[in-house]
Amino acid sequence: MGPKAKKIILIIVLAFFVYAVFTSPDKAADIVSNIWGVLVDGFNAILEFFGSLLNR
């Protein structure tokens, strides 16, 4: 995929995000909150894995 295609996809994703925020800010905030929660849970699971691996 070329750099021009990546730029077009990025613009489309950003436009959709702006549209979602303006049409339904509550749902957009819930989605961002859920994504953040998944990222934090995944990071904590990785830390726990390496912590238990090093404590053996």
Side-chain angles (χ1 to χ4, degrees):
M1 192 163 47
K4 196 170 191 177
K6 288 181 183 180
K7 188 174 184 178
I8 291 171
I9 291 172
L10 179 63
I11 290 171
I12 290 171
V13 169
L14 289 175
F16 177 74
F17 180 73
V18 169
Y19 169 77
V21 168
F22 279 117
T23 57
S24 181
D26 292 335
K27 287 184 182 178
D30 287 341
I31 290 170
V32 171
S33 176
N34 288 337
I35 291 171
W36 181 254
V38 168
L39 292 174
V40 168
D41 289 344
F43 185 72
N44 285 336
I46 291 170
L47 288 178
E48 184 177 335
F49 169 75
F50 282 111
S52 65
L53 187 66
L54 294 174
N55 285 336
R56 283 187 160 203

